[in-house]
Amino acid sequence: KQWYQRRVRGELVPYNPKNLPLGWDGKPIPYWLYKLHGLNLYFNCEICGNFKYRGPKAFQRHFAEWRHAHGMRCLGIPNTAHFANVTLIEDARALWEKIKAEKNKDKFQKETEEEFEDSHGNVVSRKVYNDLKRQGLL
């Protein structure tokens, strides 16, 4: 069986009707191996500029690569583990807003959480302290 056919320019091109990827020897990889590695599946990432990744392994690996990191940086979002498997810009922005809201919720609220101690050693909230001070009880 002849693996190569001649092209018009005179260079040898492998016979590859199913457009399979080439192996280390320059020949198309077996079809069963192509299906086993999931190379028939394409994954699209909107954050990377609608770049298509061939196979789940390449898709998972791309989250740590420069193209995805640059896309996240352009959106103003840090490229952290929270955003693994997020490929849509809207989803990434929504998740970032949710994470920021959770961070702000845990942040120290000066108006409600600040405590004062009166002359007797009683610990009271800021509001109660100001009320007592206005009434002249302190």
Side-chain angles (χ1 to χ4, degrees), residues 11 23 51 57 128:
E11 58 188 55
F51 197 82
K57 186 175 179 183
V128 172

Side-chain angles (χ1 to χ4, degrees), residues 94-107:
L95 182 58
W96 178 235
E97 290 302 319
K98 182 179 175 188
I99 290 171
K100 282 197 306 189
E102 286 178 12
K103 278 185 180 179
N104 287 339
K105 183 180 74 175
D106 295 339
K107 200 174 180 181

Side-chain angles (χ1 to χ4, degrees), residues 37-95:
H37 288 293
L39 299 177
N40 56 332
L41 303 173
Y42 289 92
F43 297 93
N44 190 24
C45 183
E46 192 176 288
I47 294 171
C48 298
N50 287 325
F51 197 82
K52 292 187 191 304
Y53 294 94
R54 191 177 206 172
K57 186 175 179 183
F59 177 68
Q60 287 301 320
R61 194 175 31 210
H62 102 277
F63 288 107
E65 292 176 352
W66 69 270
R67 181 178 286 132
H68 193 81
H70 177 72
M72 294 292 277
R73 206 174 312 115
C74 289
L75 293 172
I77 301 171
N79 193 21
T80 60
H82 297 99
F83 299 96
N85 296 323
V86 176
T87 59
L88 299 176
I89 292 172
E90 267 317 300
D91 292 347
R93 283 189 176 146
L95 182 58

